[in-house]
Amino acid sequence: MSAPVGVVLAGGLARRLGGGDKALQEIGGTSILRRVIEALSPQCAGTILNANGDPARFGSFGLPVVADGRAESLGPLAGILAGLDWIAAERPGVEDALFAPGDAPFLPCDLGPRLAAARREAGAEIACARSGGRTHHVVALWPVSSRSDLRAALDGEGLRGVGAFLARRLCAFAEWPAEPLDPFFNVNAPEDLRRAREIAERRG
C-alpha cells in the first residue's frame, strides 16, 4: 500500500484562548501546527492543510492550503471531504488520506502505520484512533474513494458529525495508552495550553 497524504484539519478557532487559530499557538518555542506537521510528514507522501479564510497566515509552512469551498462553515466533515477531493485531483495515484487535527501537539510517530494495520486486519474501510476509552474521529485513515458517499451525506442529507458518518461505515480502531501522556491530547482552553507547555518543557 502506498503512503497516504496527510491532511491537517487546521481551521479550529481559539475562541476560549482569546481568538485566532488554535493551531498557531506556541508550545515549547514552536507552533502546535508545526508539531503536527513534523509528526505526520515522515508518515505521509506529502501533507496539506485544510483551513478557511486567508491562506497567507499559513504561508511560512510552505504547504498547500485547501479550503472547504463552501459559503458556511460545516465543521470537520467538510474539511475531510475537501482533503479527499484535493488528493483525488492533485495526487491521483494516492489511495488514502491520514487526517489529524491541528491542535494536537503530541501525535504519535506511528499513527499512519498502526491505523493501516488495524484497518487491514479488520477488513474495514476507515480506521480511527482511540485512547483512554475515547474514539478520536478526526484522527483517522480514510480511503479517497469514500468521498462520493461523504459528499452525498454532507450535501444531500445535511449530515454534519464525523461520528455520525462513521457509524454508517465499517470502521477499525487502533488503541494507544492515555498514560503517561495521551498522544491525542488537544488544546481547547487556557488550561490545556498551560498543560501542553509544561509537558513540552519536561520532554525537552
Side-chain angles (χ1 to χ4, degrees):
M1 186 186 72
S2 61
V5 166
V7 182
V8 182
L9 302 171
L13 298 178
R15 292 185 179 92
R16 284 186 280 173
L17 293 169
D21 294 280
K22 284 196 293 181
L24 298 181
Q25 295 286 328
E26 286 204 357
I27 290 174
T30 190
S31 67
I32 300 174
L33 181 54
R34 179 72 66 188
R35 288 174 170 270
V36 174
I37 292 168
E38 289 177 353
L40 283 190
S41 293
Q43 308 177 49
C44 297
T47 306
I48 65 173
L49 308 179
N50 164 248
N52 298 322
D54 185 1
R57 67 194 193 276
F58 300 111
S60 64
F61 297 96
L63 297 175
V65 181
V66 180
D68 296 350
R70 297 165 187 271
E72 58 179 324
S73 177
L74 302 182
L77 207 57
I80 289 171
L81 178 58
L84 296 176
D85 281 343
W86 186 92
I87 295 169
E90 303 294 334
R91 301 286 189 273
V94 174
E95 298 178 351
D96 294 303
L98 178 61
F99 289 94
D103 61 358
F106 307 114
L107 290 174
C109 61
D110 58 351
L111 181 61
R114 288 193 57 189
L115 288 174
R119 188 178 66 173
R120 185 171 56 251
E121 291 167 8
E125 178 188 13
I126 296 168
C128 295
R130 276 182 176 165
S131 63
R134 179 185 172 199
T135 299
H136 306 282
H137 294 119
V138 295
V139 184
L141 185 69
W142 288 59
V144 176
S145 60
S146 64
R147 73 189 201 284
S148 296
D149 289 346
L150 177 53
R151 191 185 325 279
L154 190 67
D155 295 336
E157 301 176 40
L159 193 71
R160 296 293 177 262
V162 179
F165 181 80
L166 293 180
R168 305 175 175 187
R169 322 302 290 189
L170 181 57
C171 290
F173 303 93
E175 187 84 31
W176 276 263
E179 297 294 340
L181 171 64
D182 189 334
F184 308 111
F185 168 87
N186 63 316
V187 174
N188 282 314
E191 56 268 27
D192 299 327
L193 187 60
R194 286 194 295 270
R195 183 182 170 207
R197 286 170 172 164
E198 290 169 1
I199 292 168
E201 184 175 354
R202 288 199 305 268
R203 298 177 75 184

